[in-house]
Amino acid sequence: MTWRWRYENANGGEVTGGSLPREVFPSQSDAESWLGENWRTLLGAGVEQVALLEDERTEYAGMSLRVE
C-alpha cells in the first residue's frame, strides 16, 4: 500500500505541474504529517485543496488548504 496526495483547484480539478512535489508515503500518518509541514508551499503553488489516496482508493477528498 502506498499513500499520496492529489492536488486540486477550488472546483476539485486536479492540479499538475513540474514544480509540485510527487511524494509517496508508506502510511496515512506519514502522508498527513508531510501535508502539515508543506501545505503553505502547496497553497502558494496554486493548490486549493487536496485528496488523500491509498493506491487508487480515495480516503478523503476536498480538504481545503485555506484557513477559515
Side-chain angles (χ1 to χ4, degrees):
M1 278 186 245
T2 59
W3 297 82
R4 68 179 179 90
W5 292 104
R6 181 177 63 223
Y7 309 132
E8 300 176 344
N9 61 28
N11 297 322
E14 187 169 8
V15 174
T16 60
S19 64
L20 291 172
R22 294 292 170 193
E23 304 287 334
V24 177
F25 307 93
S27 71
Q28 181 176 351
S29 63
D30 288 337
E32 290 169 340
S33 293
W34 180 89
L35 185 66
E37 297 170 1
N38 293 281
W39 67 271
R40 289 176 189 86
T41 301
L42 295 173
L43 192 57
V47 177
E48 290 291 325
Q49 62 186 32
V50 294
L52 182 60
L53 305 176
E54 177 188 24
D55 296 322
E56 295 304 314
R57 182 185 68 82
T58 303
E59 178 68 19
Y60 52 83
M63 188 172 84
S64 176
L65 298 180
R66 298 249 175 223
V67 177
E68 295 185 20

